[in-house]
């Protein structure tokens, strides 16, 4: 058994959240620069320029990328041979609270659907734990803003609607989201499972590397098709029109019931804040 | 690029066309969901809304030595219905992001008001255009409190104008 201290976990989570709220990943920046060069419309170019200029200021560490510093989502893969003093979920919550309080990030979590009192710590986080082989803990950490999250959807399609049905569902979601989801977006799609599993697949798909390719050639082709079709919608950066509506589409799949074809579409705004930490 | 100084006149608003890029300077007020819900029935208004500009923003906390934290726009559609009573009280411009309802557009045109879009997710860039900030109402709402901001060359795009122009219609 390998022992990991609660304080070590909290500290890692705190650092990760502060860093990710101030920095856009290099491959996102590269894609935005490419998109800016390829846009024909002056307005679209100007919006992408704002986004690029913004991340230059943010990476100096004073101003977060976006004022919506998100609600924290964590997928924890916990090795069977790891021993933690106390509760892992508590340790991660503590790290998140420290990040938002000490790191001057916005506390955007309210406790009750109608009373809406702020919890003042940006916790609780939304936590998903899986047990895996080994003696490590792997954390996937996202700070998910509400602008794009509110535009996300789940569709319970008929199996015979097939690939065409999936394509329609994704395009419909992105069109209806328009500028409100802060495009250029990344689109996480969960295909299969059931109602909640599809949503989890979509959420986790957003952690995939922007430049990776899906192992399943059928799904890899569908990702490419959707990417092209979404960029033909003309929604454009912040909805002003143009060729750059999405930077990537990532699809994760899971087996499903013979009667079901669940499709979850989780939209991520251009300020994608996702990171992974191994302890 | 069009330079505007607040409070905005009816003539300022009239000349603006969807797609215009503007730089706003002067005093503006912040308000989002909860502040709007309170402002519509407010008896003790601490601010003058005549000719005013409302910015839909909930900034991050300011770091020591800084005026404000990250300050980009939130999605405007959530304020569509709640914005109408404020236009009745004199608000002539709103800054936010994203598309809004047809009912809002109709009300906006009736009140000769304009809707600006600031670039969503550009909170760090937009914060650099804010020269002063103080909470003037609803301190208990924290990030959602009403602030009076002094802005200089705050960059926006005209999204909906009073003549029916719409930045988001481009097919």
């Amino acid at each position: 058994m390998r022992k990991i201290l609660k304080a070590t976990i909290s500290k890692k989570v705190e650092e990760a959240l502060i860093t990710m709220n101030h920095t856009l990943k290099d491959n996102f920046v590269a894609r935005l620069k490419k998109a800016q060069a390829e846009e024909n419309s002056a307005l679209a170019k100007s919006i992408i320029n704002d986004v690029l200029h913004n991340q230059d200021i943010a990476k100096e560490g004073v101003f977060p990328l976006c004022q919506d510093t998100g609600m924290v989502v964590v997928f924890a893969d916990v090795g069977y041979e790891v021993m933690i003093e106390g509760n892992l979920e508590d340790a991660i919550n503590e790290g998140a609270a420290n990040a938002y309080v000490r790191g001057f990030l916005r506390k955007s979590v309210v406790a009750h659907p109608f009373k809406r009192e702020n919890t003042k710590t940006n916790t609780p986080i939304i936590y998903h734990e899986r047990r895996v082989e080994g003696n490590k803990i792997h954390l996937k950490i996202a700070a998910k803003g509400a602008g794009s999250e509110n535009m996300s959807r789940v569709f319970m399609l008929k199996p015979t609607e097939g690939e065409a049905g999936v394509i329609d569902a994704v395009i419909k979601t992105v069109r209806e989201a328009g500028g409100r989801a802060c495009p250029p977006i990344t689109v996480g799609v969960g295909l299969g499972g059931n109602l909640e599993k599809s949503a989890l697949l979509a959420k986790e798909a957003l952690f995939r590397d922007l430049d990776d390719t899906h192992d399943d050639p059928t799904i890899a082709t569908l990702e490419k098709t959707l990417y092209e079709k979404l960029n033909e919608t003309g929604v454009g950066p912040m909805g002003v029109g143009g060729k750059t509506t999405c930077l990537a589409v990532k699809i994760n799949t899971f087996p499903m019931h013979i009667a079901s074809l669940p499709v979850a579409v989780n939209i991520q705004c251009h300020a994608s804040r996702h990171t992974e930490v191994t302890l | 690029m069009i330079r505007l100084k607040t409070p905005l006149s009816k003539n300022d608003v009239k000349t603006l066309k969807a797609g215009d890029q503007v730089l706003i300077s002067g005093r503006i007020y912040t308000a989002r969901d909860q502040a709007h819900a309170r402002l519509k029935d407010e008896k003790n208004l601490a601010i003058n809304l005549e000719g005013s500009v409302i910015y839909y923003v909930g900034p991050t906390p300011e770091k020591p030595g800084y005026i404000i934290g990250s300050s980009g726009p939130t999605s405007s559609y959530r304020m569509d219905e709640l914005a109408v009573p404020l236009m009745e009280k004199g608000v002539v411009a709103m800054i936010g992001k994203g598309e809004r309802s047809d009912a809002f557009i109709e009300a906006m045109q009736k009140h000769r008001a304009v809707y600006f879009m600031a670039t969503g997710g550009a909170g760090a860039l937009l914060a650099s255009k804010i020269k002063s900030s103080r909470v003037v109402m609803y301190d208990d709402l924290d990030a959602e409190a009403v602030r009076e901001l002094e802005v200089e060359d705050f960059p926006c795009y005209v999204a909906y104008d009073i003549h029916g122009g719409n930045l988001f219609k481009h097919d």
Side-chain angles (χ1 to χ4, degrees), chain A residues 43 46-47 50 53-54 57 61-67 104-106 116 120 151 178-180 182 234 238-241 270, chain B residues 21 32 58-64 66 68 70 72-73 75 77 97 99 117 119-125 142 157 167-168 170:
Chain A
L43 270 173
S46 174
I47 300 280
D50 290 345
H53 188 185
N54 185 67
I57 298 173
V62 176
F63 299 101
L65 285 162
C66 180
Q67 76 292 335
F104 296 89
L105 303 177
R106 197 179 78 184
R116 305 197 77 83
K120 311 272 187 192
M151 297 294 122
R180 292 174 290 195
C182 285
M238 293 309 300
V240 306
H270 58 72
Chain B
Q21 288 186 248
R32 345 181 338 144
T60 59
E62 66 275 13
K63 288 196 169 166
Y66 289 86
I68 200 163
S70 193
S75 295
Y77 72 93
K97 70 168 167 92
E99 299 84 342
M117 185 191 77
T119 299
L125 170 66
D142 296 318
Y157 304 83
L167 179 66
F168 305 112
H170 33 71

Short mmCIF file of all heavy atoms in Angstrom, two decimals, chain A residues 43 46-47 50 53-54 57 61-67 104-106 116 120 151 178-180 182 234 238-241 270, chain B residues 21 32 58-64 66 68 70 72-73 75 77 97 99 117 119-125 142 157 167-168 170:
data_model
loop_
_atom_site.label_atom_id
_atom_site.label_comp_id
_atom_site.label_asym_id
_atom_site.label_seq_id
_atom_site.Cartn_x
_atom_site.Cartn_y
_atom_site.Cartn_z
N LEU A 43 -15.06 41.05 -38.54
CA LEU A 43 -15.63 40.90 -37.19
C LEU A 43 -15.13 39.63 -36.51
O LEU A 43 -14.73 39.65 -35.35
CB LEU A 43 -17.16 40.84 -37.28
CG LEU A 43 -17.92 42.16 -37.19
CD1 LEU A 43 -19.40 41.92 -37.46
CD2 LEU A 43 -17.73 42.80 -35.82
N SER A 46 -11.63 40.00 -35.50
CA SER A 46 -11.51 40.89 -34.34
C SER A 46 -11.84 40.15 -33.04
O SER A 46 -11.17 40.32 -32.02
CB SER A 46 -12.44 42.09 -34.54
OG SER A 46 -12.46 42.89 -33.40
N ILE A 47 -12.88 39.31 -33.08
CA ILE A 47 -13.27 38.54 -31.88
C ILE A 47 -12.14 37.58 -31.49
O ILE A 47 -11.76 37.51 -30.31
CB ILE A 47 -14.58 37.73 -32.14
CG1 ILE A 47 -15.75 38.64 -32.50
CG2 ILE A 47 -14.88 36.81 -30.95
CD1 ILE A 47 -16.44 39.32 -31.39
N ASP A 50 -9.44 39.38 -29.84
CA ASP A 50 -9.76 39.67 -28.43
C ASP A 50 -9.43 38.46 -27.55
O ASP A 50 -8.86 38.60 -26.46
CB ASP A 50 -11.26 39.98 -28.26
CG ASP A 50 -11.67 41.32 -28.87
OD1 ASP A 50 -10.79 42.14 -29.18
OD2 ASP A 50 -12.89 41.54 -29.03
N HIS A 53 -5.62 38.04 -27.32
CA HIS A 53 -5.08 39.11 -26.48
C HIS A 53 -5.40 38.83 -25.01
O HIS A 53 -4.57 39.00 -24.11
CB HIS A 53 -5.67 40.45 -26.95
CG HIS A 53 -5.06 41.65 -26.32
ND1 HIS A 53 -5.52 42.92 -26.54
CD2 HIS A 53 -4.05 41.79 -25.44
CE1 HIS A 53 -4.82 43.78 -25.83
NE2 HIS A 53 -3.91 43.12 -25.15
N ASN A 54 -6.63 38.38 -24.78
CA ASN A 54 -7.08 38.07 -23.42
C ASN A 54 -6.20 37.03 -22.74
O ASN A 54 -5.81 37.19 -21.59
CB ASN A 54 -8.53 37.58 -23.48
CG ASN A 54 -9.12 37.36 -22.10
OD1 ASN A 54 -9.31 38.30 -21.35
ND2 ASN A 54 -9.37 36.11 -21.75
N ILE A 57 -2.91 38.40 -21.53
CA ILE A 57 -3.00 39.14 -20.26
C ILE A 57 -3.18 38.16 -19.10
O ILE A 57 -2.51 38.27 -18.07
CB ILE A 57 -4.18 40.15 -20.30
CG1 ILE A 57 -3.96 41.19 -21.40
CG2 ILE A 57 -4.34 40.84 -18.93
CD1 ILE A 57 -5.14 42.13 -21.63
N GLY A 61 -1.02 36.04 -14.71
CA GLY A 61 -1.39 35.53 -13.40
C GLY A 61 -2.21 36.45 -12.51
O GLY A 61 -2.53 36.09 -11.38
N VAL A 62 -2.57 37.64 -13.01
CA VAL A 62 -3.37 38.55 -12.17
C VAL A 62 -4.86 38.37 -12.44
O VAL A 62 -5.66 38.21 -11.53
CB VAL A 62 -2.96 40.02 -12.41
CG1 VAL A 62 -3.88 40.95 -11.59
CG2 VAL A 62 -1.51 40.24 -12.02
N PHE A 63 -5.24 38.39 -13.71
CA PHE A 63 -6.64 38.29 -14.09
C PHE A 63 -6.94 36.90 -14.67
O PHE A 63 -6.28 36.49 -15.63
CB PHE A 63 -7.00 39.34 -15.15
CG PHE A 63 -6.80 40.75 -14.69
CD1 PHE A 63 -5.66 41.46 -15.06
CD2 PHE A 63 -7.73 41.36 -13.87
CE1 PHE A 63 -5.47 42.76 -14.64
CE2 PHE A 63 -7.54 42.67 -13.44
CZ PHE A 63 -6.41 43.37 -13.81
N PRO A 64 -7.93 36.19 -14.11
CA PRO A 64 -8.31 34.91 -14.73
C PRO A 64 -8.78 35.12 -16.17
O PRO A 64 -9.23 36.22 -16.53
CB PRO A 64 -9.45 34.42 -13.85
CG PRO A 64 -9.28 35.14 -12.55
CD PRO A 64 -8.69 36.47 -12.89
N LEU A 65 -8.70 34.07 -16.98
CA LEU A 65 -9.14 34.12 -18.38
C LEU A 65 -10.55 34.67 -18.49
O LEU A 65 -10.85 35.48 -19.36
CB LEU A 65 -9.14 32.70 -18.98
CG LEU A 65 -7.81 32.07 -19.33
CD1 LEU A 65 -7.97 30.57 -19.48
CD2 LEU A 65 -7.23 32.68 -20.61
N CYS A 66 -11.42 34.18 -17.62
CA CYS A 66 -12.83 34.57 -17.67
C CYS A 66 -13.29 34.84 -16.24
O CYS A 66 -12.78 34.23 -15.30
CB CYS A 66 -13.66 33.44 -18.27
SG CYS A 66 -15.43 33.80 -18.38
N GLN A 67 -14.26 35.78 -16.10
CA GLN A 67 -14.77 36.04 -14.74
C GLN A 67 -15.56 34.85 -14.22
O GLN A 67 -15.69 34.68 -13.02
CB GLN A 67 -15.62 37.32 -14.74
CG GLN A 67 -17.01 37.20 -15.34
CD GLN A 67 -16.96 36.97 -16.84
OE1 GLN A 67 -16.00 37.33 -17.51
NE2 GLN A 67 -18.00 36.35 -17.38
N PHE A 104 -8.26 34.29 -5.44
CA PHE A 104 -9.11 35.39 -5.94
C PHE A 104 -9.92 34.96 -7.17
O PHE A 104 -10.04 35.71 -8.14
CB PHE A 104 -8.27 36.64 -6.25
CG PHE A 104 -7.62 37.23 -5.02
CD1 PHE A 104 -6.36 36.80 -4.63
CD2 PHE A 104 -8.28 38.18 -4.26
CE1 PHE A 104 -5.77 37.32 -3.48
CE2 PHE A 104 -7.69 38.69 -3.12
CZ PHE A 104 -6.43 38.27 -2.73
N LEU A 105 -10.42 33.75 -7.13
CA LEU A 105 -11.30 33.27 -8.20
C LEU A 105 -12.75 33.50 -7.75
O LEU A 105 -13.02 33.59 -6.55
CB LEU A 105 -11.04 31.79 -8.48
CG LEU A 105 -9.59 31.45 -8.85
CD1 LEU A 105 -9.42 29.93 -9.03
CD2 LEU A 105 -9.16 32.17 -10.13
N ARG A 106 -13.66 33.58 -8.70
CA ARG A 106 -15.05 33.89 -8.34
C ARG A 106 -15.73 32.68 -7.71
O ARG A 106 -15.62 31.57 -8.23
CB ARG A 106 -15.84 34.37 -9.56
CG ARG A 106 -17.12 35.07 -9.16
CD ARG A 106 -17.88 35.56 -10.37
NE ARG A 106 -18.60 34.46 -11.02
CZ ARG A 106 -19.30 34.61 -12.15
NH1 ARG A 106 -19.32 35.76 -12.77
NH2 ARG A 106 -19.94 33.58 -12.66
N ARG A 116 -30.68 30.27 -3.15
CA ARG A 116 -29.50 30.74 -3.87
C ARG A 116 -28.48 31.51 -3.03
O ARG A 116 -27.90 32.49 -3.47
CB ARG A 116 -29.90 31.54 -5.14
CG ARG A 116 -30.82 30.73 -6.05
CD ARG A 116 -30.93 31.26 -7.45
NE ARG A 116 -29.78 30.96 -8.27
CZ ARG A 116 -29.57 29.81 -8.92
NH1 ARG A 116 -30.42 28.83 -8.82
NH2 ARG A 116 -28.48 29.65 -9.64
N LYS A 120 -19.74 30.49 -0.64
CA LYS A 120 -18.55 31.31 -0.34
C LYS A 120 -17.20 30.61 -0.57
O LYS A 120 -16.15 31.20 -0.35
CB LYS A 120 -18.57 31.83 1.12
CG LYS A 120 -19.85 32.48 1.55
CD LYS A 120 -19.85 33.96 1.23
CE LYS A 120 -21.09 34.62 1.83
NZ LYS A 120 -21.27 35.97 1.31
N MET A 151 -25.96 25.49 -22.29
CA MET A 151 -26.35 25.24 -23.69
C MET A 151 -26.18 23.76 -24.05
O MET A 151 -26.36 23.37 -25.20
CB MET A 151 -25.48 26.09 -24.62
CG MET A 151 -25.65 27.58 -24.43
SD MET A 151 -27.30 28.12 -24.90
CE MET A 151 -27.88 28.87 -23.39
N GLY A 178 -25.69 29.05 -30.32
CA GLY A 178 -25.25 30.27 -30.99
C GLY A 178 -24.09 30.92 -30.27
O GLY A 178 -23.17 30.25 -29.79
N GLY A 179 -24.14 32.26 -30.16
CA GLY A 179 -23.06 33.00 -29.53
C GLY A 179 -23.04 32.86 -28.02
O GLY A 179 -22.04 33.21 -27.37
N ARG A 180 -24.13 32.37 -27.45
CA ARG A 180 -24.23 32.31 -25.99
C ARG A 180 -23.26 31.34 -25.35
O ARG A 180 -22.92 31.45 -24.19
CB ARG A 180 -25.67 31.95 -25.58
CG ARG A 180 -26.64 33.05 -25.90
CD ARG A 180 -28.06 32.64 -25.64
NE ARG A 180 -28.50 31.64 -26.61
CZ ARG A 180 -29.77 31.30 -26.82
NH1 ARG A 180 -30.71 31.86 -26.11
NH2 ARG A 180 -30.08 30.40 -27.72
N CYS A 182 -20.22 31.01 -26.17
CA CYS A 182 -18.88 31.55 -26.38
C CYS A 182 -18.02 30.72 -27.34
O CYS A 182 -16.97 30.19 -26.97
CB CYS A 182 -18.14 31.76 -25.05
SG CYS A 182 -18.73 33.18 -24.15
N GLY A 234 -21.92 28.52 -39.81
CA GLY A 234 -21.83 29.97 -39.90
C GLY A 234 -22.06 30.70 -38.58
O GLY A 234 -22.15 31.92 -38.55
N MET A 238 -18.24 33.95 -31.20
CA MET A 238 -19.25 34.70 -30.41
C MET A 238 -20.57 34.90 -31.17
O MET A 238 -21.35 35.80 -30.83
CB MET A 238 -18.71 36.06 -29.94
CG MET A 238 -17.59 35.98 -28.92
SD MET A 238 -17.92 34.92 -27.47
CE MET A 238 -19.35 35.69 -26.76
N GLY A 239 -20.80 34.10 -32.20
CA GLY A 239 -22.07 34.18 -32.93
C GLY A 239 -22.13 35.26 -33.99
O GLY A 239 -23.19 35.50 -34.58
N VAL A 240 -20.99 35.92 -34.28
CA VAL A 240 -21.02 37.03 -35.25
C VAL A 240 -20.89 36.56 -36.70
O VAL A 240 -20.84 37.38 -37.62
CB VAL A 240 -19.94 38.10 -34.96
CG1 VAL A 240 -20.05 38.61 -33.53
CG2 VAL A 240 -18.52 37.58 -35.24
N GLY A 241 -20.83 35.25 -36.90
CA GLY A 241 -20.67 34.71 -38.25
C GLY A 241 -19.22 34.44 -38.56
O GLY A 241 -18.33 35.09 -38.00
N HIS A 270 -14.56 28.79 -25.42
CA HIS A 270 -13.15 28.86 -25.86
C HIS A 270 -12.17 28.92 -24.70
O HIS A 270 -11.00 28.62 -24.88
CB HIS A 270 -12.93 30.02 -26.85
CG HIS A 270 -13.30 31.37 -26.31
ND1 HIS A 270 -12.55 32.01 -25.37
CD2 HIS A 270 -14.36 32.17 -26.58
CE1 HIS A 270 -13.13 33.17 -25.09
NE2 HIS A 270 -14.23 33.29 -25.81
N GLN B 21 -18.13 48.73 -34.36
CA GLN B 21 -17.28 48.56 -33.20
C GLN B 21 -17.22 49.88 -32.46
O GLN B 21 -16.99 50.93 -33.08
CB GLN B 21 -15.88 48.12 -33.61
CG GLN B 21 -15.88 46.66 -34.10
CD GLN B 21 -14.49 46.13 -34.40
OE1 GLN B 21 -14.16 45.88 -35.54
NE2 GLN B 21 -13.69 45.97 -33.35
N ARG B 32 -26.63 41.74 -12.84
CA ARG B 32 -26.95 40.47 -13.49
C ARG B 32 -28.27 39.96 -12.92
O ARG B 32 -29.07 40.75 -12.45
CB ARG B 32 -25.89 39.38 -13.33
CG ARG B 32 -24.53 39.75 -12.86
CD ARG B 32 -23.58 38.56 -12.76
NE ARG B 32 -24.22 37.27 -12.63
CZ ARG B 32 -23.76 36.16 -13.17
NH1 ARG B 32 -22.64 36.17 -13.86
NH2 ARG B 32 -24.38 35.02 -13.01
N GLY B 58 -20.32 39.73 -13.51
CA GLY B 58 -20.03 39.39 -12.11
C GLY B 58 -18.54 39.14 -12.02
O GLY B 58 -18.08 38.04 -12.29
N PRO B 59 -17.75 40.17 -11.68
CA PRO B 59 -16.29 40.03 -11.75
C PRO B 59 -15.71 39.05 -10.72
O PRO B 59 -16.36 38.75 -9.73
CB PRO B 59 -15.79 41.45 -11.45
CG PRO B 59 -16.92 42.16 -10.81
CD PRO B 59 -18.18 41.49 -11.21
N THR B 60 -14.49 38.62 -10.98
CA THR B 60 -13.77 37.87 -9.95
C THR B 60 -13.30 38.90 -8.90
O THR B 60 -13.20 40.09 -9.20
CB THR B 60 -12.54 37.12 -10.52
OG1 THR B 60 -11.66 38.07 -11.13
CG2 THR B 60 -12.94 36.07 -11.54
N PRO B 61 -13.00 38.44 -7.68
CA PRO B 61 -12.54 39.39 -6.65
C PRO B 61 -11.24 40.05 -7.09
O PRO B 61 -10.38 39.41 -7.70
CB PRO B 61 -12.28 38.50 -5.43
CG PRO B 61 -12.98 37.21 -5.70
CD PRO B 61 -13.04 37.05 -7.18
N GLU B 62 -11.10 41.35 -6.76
CA GLU B 62 -9.88 42.05 -7.15
C GLU B 62 -8.72 41.61 -6.26
O GLU B 62 -8.89 41.41 -5.07
CB GLU B 62 -10.06 43.57 -7.10
CG GLU B 62 -10.29 44.18 -5.74
CD GLU B 62 -11.75 44.16 -5.29
OE1 GLU B 62 -12.58 43.46 -5.93
OE2 GLU B 62 -12.06 44.85 -4.31
N LYS B 63 -7.55 41.46 -6.88
CA LYS B 63 -6.36 41.17 -6.10
C LYS B 63 -5.88 42.44 -5.41
O LYS B 63 -6.16 43.54 -5.92
CB LYS B 63 -5.27 40.60 -7.01
CG LYS B 63 -5.58 39.19 -7.45
CD LYS B 63 -4.39 38.46 -8.02
CE LYS B 63 -4.74 37.00 -8.19
NZ LYS B 63 -3.80 36.27 -9.03
N PRO B 64 -5.15 42.33 -4.29
CA PRO B 64 -4.68 43.53 -3.61
C PRO B 64 -3.90 44.44 -4.57
O PRO B 64 -3.04 43.97 -5.32
CB PRO B 64 -3.75 42.99 -2.52
CG PRO B 64 -4.22 41.58 -2.30
CD PRO B 64 -4.73 41.10 -3.61
N TYR B 66 -5.22 46.04 -7.10
CA TYR B 66 -5.89 46.14 -8.40
C TYR B 66 -7.32 46.66 -8.23
O TYR B 66 -7.92 46.51 -7.17
CB TYR B 66 -5.91 44.77 -9.11
CG TYR B 66 -4.53 44.38 -9.59
CD1 TYR B 66 -3.65 43.71 -8.73
CD2 TYR B 66 -4.08 44.72 -10.85
CE1 TYR B 66 -2.37 43.36 -9.15
CE2 TYR B 66 -2.81 44.39 -11.28
CZ TYR B 66 -1.96 43.71 -10.43
OH TYR B 66 -0.70 43.39 -10.84
N ILE B 68 -10.12 45.85 -10.01
CA ILE B 68 -11.19 44.85 -10.18
C ILE B 68 -10.55 43.56 -10.67
O ILE B 68 -9.39 43.56 -11.12
CB ILE B 68 -12.27 45.40 -11.17
CG1 ILE B 68 -13.61 44.66 -11.02
CG2 ILE B 68 -11.77 45.36 -12.62
CD1 ILE B 68 -14.80 45.39 -11.63
N SER B 70 -11.17 39.86 -13.11
CA SER B 70 -11.59 39.56 -14.48
C SER B 70 -13.06 39.98 -14.66
O SER B 70 -13.88 39.72 -13.79
CB SER B 70 -11.41 38.05 -14.70
OG SER B 70 -11.52 37.74 -16.06
N GLY B 72 -15.51 39.97 -17.74
CA GLY B 72 -16.16 39.77 -19.04
C GLY B 72 -17.67 39.65 -18.89
O GLY B 72 -18.19 39.52 -17.78
N PRO B 73 -18.39 39.71 -20.01
CA PRO B 73 -19.85 39.68 -19.98
C PRO B 73 -20.41 38.28 -19.70
O PRO B 73 -19.80 37.29 -20.07
CB PRO B 73 -20.23 40.09 -21.40
CG PRO B 73 -19.10 39.55 -22.23
CD PRO B 73 -17.87 39.73 -21.39
N SER B 75 -24.00 35.74 -20.19
CA SER B 75 -25.04 35.57 -21.22
C SER B 75 -26.24 36.46 -20.92
O SER B 75 -26.80 36.42 -19.82
CB SER B 75 -25.50 34.11 -21.29
OG SER B 75 -24.45 33.30 -21.72
N TYR B 77 -29.34 36.53 -22.32
CA TYR B 77 -30.72 36.06 -22.47
C TYR B 77 -31.43 35.88 -21.13
O TYR B 77 -32.65 35.99 -21.06
CB TYR B 77 -30.76 34.74 -23.28
CG TYR B 77 -30.24 33.53 -22.53
CD1 TYR B 77 -31.11 32.70 -21.82
CD2 TYR B 77 -28.89 33.21 -22.51
CE1 TYR B 77 -30.64 31.60 -21.13
CE2 TYR B 77 -28.41 32.12 -21.83
CZ TYR B 77 -29.29 31.30 -21.14
OH TYR B 77 -28.82 30.22 -20.45
N LYS B 97 -23.44 39.29 -23.69
CA LYS B 97 -23.02 38.45 -24.80
C LYS B 97 -24.16 37.55 -25.24
O LYS B 97 -25.00 37.16 -24.43
CB LYS B 97 -21.80 37.61 -24.42
CG LYS B 97 -22.10 36.51 -23.42
CD LYS B 97 -20.96 35.53 -23.29
CE LYS B 97 -21.08 34.61 -22.10
NZ LYS B 97 -21.77 33.35 -22.39
N GLU B 99 -27.22 35.93 -28.16
CA GLU B 99 -28.52 36.28 -28.72
C GLU B 99 -29.55 36.49 -27.62
O GLU B 99 -29.44 35.93 -26.53
CB GLU B 99 -29.01 35.15 -29.65
CG GLU B 99 -28.11 34.89 -30.85
CD GLU B 99 -26.92 33.96 -30.56
OE1 GLU B 99 -26.56 33.77 -29.38
OE2 GLU B 99 -26.35 33.42 -31.53
N MET B 117 -22.53 43.88 -27.60
CA MET B 117 -21.86 42.65 -27.19
C MET B 117 -20.40 42.98 -26.88
O MET B 117 -19.73 43.65 -27.67
CB MET B 117 -21.90 41.62 -28.31
CG MET B 117 -21.29 40.29 -27.86
SD MET B 117 -21.04 39.15 -29.23
CE MET B 117 -19.57 39.84 -29.96
N THR B 119 -16.78 40.90 -25.99
CA THR B 119 -16.32 39.55 -26.29
C THR B 119 -16.36 38.67 -25.04
O THR B 119 -15.69 38.95 -24.05
CB THR B 119 -14.89 39.59 -26.88
OG1 THR B 119 -14.94 40.34 -28.09
CG2 THR B 119 -14.39 38.18 -27.18
N GLY B 120 -17.19 37.62 -25.12
CA GLY B 120 -17.32 36.69 -24.00
C GLY B 120 -16.00 35.99 -23.74
O GLY B 120 -15.27 35.67 -24.67
N GLY B 121 -15.71 35.76 -22.48
CA GLY B 121 -14.48 35.06 -22.13
C GLY B 121 -13.24 35.92 -22.28
O GLY B 121 -12.13 35.42 -22.22
N ALA B 122 -13.44 37.24 -22.45
CA ALA B 122 -12.28 38.14 -22.53
C ALA B 122 -12.21 38.99 -21.26
O ALA B 122 -11.96 40.19 -21.30
CB ALA B 122 -12.35 39.00 -23.79
N GLY B 123 -12.45 38.35 -20.13
CA GLY B 123 -12.54 39.06 -18.85
C GLY B 123 -11.27 39.77 -18.44
O GLY B 123 -11.32 40.83 -17.80
N ALA B 124 -10.11 39.21 -18.81
CA ALA B 124 -8.84 39.83 -18.45
C ALA B 124 -8.62 41.09 -19.28
O ALA B 124 -8.26 42.15 -18.77
CB ALA B 124 -7.69 38.84 -18.64
N LEU B 125 -8.90 40.96 -20.58
CA LEU B 125 -8.76 42.10 -21.50
C LEU B 125 -9.71 43.24 -21.10
O LEU B 125 -9.32 44.41 -21.03
CB LEU B 125 -9.07 41.63 -22.93
CG LEU B 125 -9.21 42.69 -24.01
CD1 LEU B 125 -7.89 43.40 -24.25
CD2 LEU B 125 -9.70 42.06 -25.31
N ASP B 142 -22.52 39.93 -3.39
CA ASP B 142 -21.11 39.64 -3.75
C ASP B 142 -20.82 39.96 -5.21
O ASP B 142 -20.98 41.09 -5.62
CB ASP B 142 -20.77 38.17 -3.44
CG ASP B 142 -20.86 37.86 -1.96
OD1 ASP B 142 -20.41 38.70 -1.17
OD2 ASP B 142 -21.40 36.80 -1.60
N TYR B 157 -19.22 45.62 -29.50
CA TYR B 157 -19.77 45.54 -30.86
C TYR B 157 -21.27 45.82 -30.74
O TYR B 157 -21.91 45.31 -29.81
CB TYR B 157 -19.57 44.14 -31.43
CG TYR B 157 -18.11 43.70 -31.43
CD1 TYR B 157 -17.52 43.16 -30.28
CD2 TYR B 157 -17.32 43.82 -32.57
CE1 TYR B 157 -16.19 42.77 -30.27
CE2 TYR B 157 -15.99 43.43 -32.57
CZ TYR B 157 -15.42 42.90 -31.42
OH TYR B 157 -14.10 42.50 -31.42
N LEU B 167 -26.56 41.63 -35.25
CA LEU B 167 -25.21 41.09 -35.45
C LEU B 167 -25.20 39.58 -35.62
O LEU B 167 -24.30 39.02 -36.24
CB LEU B 167 -24.36 41.48 -34.22
CG LEU B 167 -22.91 41.02 -34.14
CD1 LEU B 167 -22.07 41.68 -35.22
CD2 LEU B 167 -22.33 41.35 -32.77
N PHE B 168 -26.21 38.91 -35.03
CA PHE B 168 -26.22 37.44 -35.04
C PHE B 168 -26.96 36.87 -36.25
O PHE B 168 -27.08 35.66 -36.37
CB PHE B 168 -26.84 36.92 -33.75
CG PHE B 168 -26.16 37.47 -32.51
CD1 PHE B 168 -26.81 38.35 -31.67
CD2 PHE B 168 -24.86 37.10 -32.22
CE1 PHE B 168 -26.17 38.86 -30.55
CE2 PHE B 168 -24.21 37.60 -31.09
CZ PHE B 168 -24.88 38.49 -30.25
N HIS B 170 -26.68 36.36 -40.02
CA HIS B 170 -25.69 36.55 -41.07
C HIS B 170 -25.76 35.46 -42.12
O HIS B 170 -24.76 35.06 -42.67
CB HIS B 170 -24.29 36.65 -40.46
CG HIS B 170 -24.12 35.80 -39.24
ND1 HIS B 170 -24.07 34.45 -39.27
CD2 HIS B 170 -24.03 36.16 -37.92
CE1 HIS B 170 -23.95 33.99 -38.04
NE2 HIS B 170 -23.93 34.99 -37.20
#
